[in-house]
Amino acid sequence: MSPGPGLAAFDVRQALERVRTSLPAVVQIVLAAGIAYSIGRFGFGHAAPVLAVTVTISSLGFARDARPRRVLENAVGVVTGIALSELLLLVIGKGFWQFGVVLFAALVIARFFSASSAFAVAAATQSMFVMLLPDPAGGPFTRSLDGLAGGVVALVITALVPRDPVGLARADARRLFAELEPALASLVLALRHDDVRQADAALDRLRATQPLLDDWAATLETAVSVSRLSPFLRRRLPVVAGEAVILRYLDLAVRNLRVVARRIDTTIGDGRRRPELADLVAGIAAAVEVLGRSFVSVEHRPTAQDALVAVARRLDPAVVLPGAPVSETVLVLMLRPLVIDLLMATGLPHDDARSRLAPV
């Protein structure tokens, strides 16, 4: 019997990698849940501090955005929903229609606090625990106290036992460069051999990079926030902040590169090879490859900058392609803002980057 399509598409390697990258979050959640349970059970004397544990888990979760602010917003929203559910329980009691009123209120409040649909589901689930579980021995708002403890534990653990957001950000950077490098190599081949298929492949790769950029941005934002709060990561804050600057200009560079790739895709296919343009793109590709390595060894960054400056000094259509058609002249001009963005990603200020370009 052949496996179904879902089973056939299951990638064991991706699954194992997903587990590996999630292990810091798993350890963090288990530790936080254990502490929250201990506070509720032994600190408050509650026999079953369910909400202390569930609020902790839902506040931390596996979201890429693990900023302390997001954890706090989730905790506040969920605890507010629990407190409101307990208040409504006191006022209107339990029953079928009361169940609907509390669920409606919890969902509305959750949507007010967060745009995340997963958060709304989590908050509604907590409110249903209030309505459906037996009343605790501690009286009104016992579960709110448990939920508050869970939220506080989640926030403290975010700072004291972070998930290595810096390492996650580096992994996101590697994934982006793993797509940029072959895309640039395909553009070089497309220009050198008038190969439309290579240009199409490069354009497809570049269009698929936006989710990678978005992931990297979210992870870096988390890394900066957690590094400011965590005493163990504060010393890494300058490095993370510097990488956030690199991302800002790489994002602009990739957007420019997509436009360049689209232009190349519509220009070639006429049987003519364009080795001069291929050499320019090859110089940019070499610099991008070195820039990618600078995330492991920062001393590579000046080398990437020098390689880009060498390309920038050649970006004069009259020198590179004297007498060339307008379509090819425009391509050289389109490389200029791309190189400026990449130079700024290596650390050059805007005016200095512009000054490295060949005068036109």
Side-chain angles (χ1 to χ4, degrees):
M1 182 177 179
S2 61
L7 188 58
F10 185 75
D11 189 322
V12 175
R13 246 193 309 189
Q14 282 187 5
L16 291 173
E17 176 64 14
R18 189 164 58 244
V19 171
R20 186 190 68 79
T21 56
S22 298
L23 281 177
V26 170
V27 172
Q28 186 192 56
I29 291 170
V30 170
L31 179 62
I35 293 172
Y37 174 83
S38 299
I39 291 173
R41 178 69 181 87
F42 306 112
F44 300 152
H46 299 163
V50 174
L51 293 181
V53 175
T54 56
V55 169
T56 304
I57 295 170
S58 63
S59 296
L60 292 173
F62 283 103
R64 179 175 292 272
D65 181 2
R67 289 172 298 162
R69 178 179 175 180
R70 186 200 66 83
V71 174
L72 178 62
E73 287 175 350
N74 279 7
V76 169
V78 171
V79 172
T80 301
I82 293 170
L84 179 64
S85 300
E86 292 206 291
L87 179 62
L88 288 174
L89 183 62
L90 284 175
V91 174
I92 62 178
K94 285 187 178 182
F96 179 76
W97 68 268
Q98 292 93 334
F99 170 91
V101 169
V102 170
L103 182 57
F104 177 85
L107 288 170
V108 169
I109 289 174
R111 297 303 286 169
F112 176 80
F113 273 102
S114 173
S116 168
S117 56
F119 169 72
V121 171
T125 301
Q126 310 297 335
S127 71
M128 290 301 94
F129 283 141
V130 173
M131 293 300 294
L132 299 177
L133 290 176
D135 293 338
F141 301 105
T142 297
R143 287 166 292 204
S144 298
L145 184 60
D146 285 339
L148 181 61
V152 171
V153 168
L155 187 62
V156 172
I157 289 295
T158 298
L160 297 183
V161 189
R163 301 179 179 180
D164 186 25
V166 179
L168 291 173
R170 295 275 172 86
D172 286 339
R174 287 194 297 272
R175 279 191 284 272
L176 175 65
F177 280 96
E179 292 297 317
L180 290 181
E181 290 165 17
L184 284 162
S186 293
L187 288 179
V188 173
L189 292 173
L191 290 165
R192 210 176 291 285
H193 303 292
D194 191 50
D195 191 334
V196 176
R197 288 178 301 175
Q198 290 285 354
D200 290 341
L203 191 55
D204 288 342
R205 276 187 179 274
L206 291 169
R207 284 171 173 166
T209 57
Q210 195 56 51
L212 299 177
L213 286 161
D214 294 341
D215 285 349
W216 188 15
T219 310
L220 269 177
E221 193 171 356
T222 295
V224 170
S225 298
V226 174
S227 297
R228 284 176 179 152
L229 184 65
S230 171
F232 306 110
L233 293 178
R234 198 166 296 140
R235 61 185 174 81
R236 302 175 73 177
L237 182 57
V239 174
V240 178
E243 291 179 4
V245 173
I246 294 174
L247 168 63
R248 184 189 316 153
Y249 295 117
L250 268 178
D251 191 0
L252 295 173
V254 173
R255 293 174 192 272
N256 273 320
L257 187 55
R258 290 187 196 120
V259 177
V260 169
R262 178 62 179 158
R263 184 77 185 195
I264 291 172
D265 197 30
T266 57
T267 299
I268 65 173
D270 55 4
R272 291 181 54 240
R273 300 188 178 195
R274 295 166 172 83
E276 298 86 1
L277 287 171
D279 289 343
L280 291 175
V281 177
I284 294 171
V288 167
E289 191 270 333
V290 176
L291 182 60
R293 282 191 274 129
S294 73
F295 284 88
V296 178
S297 302
V298 72
E299 61 267 17
H300 289 300
R301 208 158 293 164
T303 306
Q305 188 177 108
D306 292 342
L308 287 165
V309 168
V311 175
R313 288 173 176 159
R314 298 167 57 203
L315 292 179
D316 180 357
V319 174
V320 178
L321 298 169
V326 173
S327 60
E328 297 181 15
T329 299
V330 169
L331 263 173
V332 176
L333 295 175
M334 290 174 70
L335 293 176
R336 291 168 68 93
L338 168 62
V339 169
I340 288 177
D341 291 335
L342 289 170
L343 280 169
M344 293 176 73
T346 67
L348 272 186
H350 182 264
D351 289 343
D352 288 347
R354 286 194 63 182
S355 71
R356 301 303 198 274
L357 291 171
V360 176

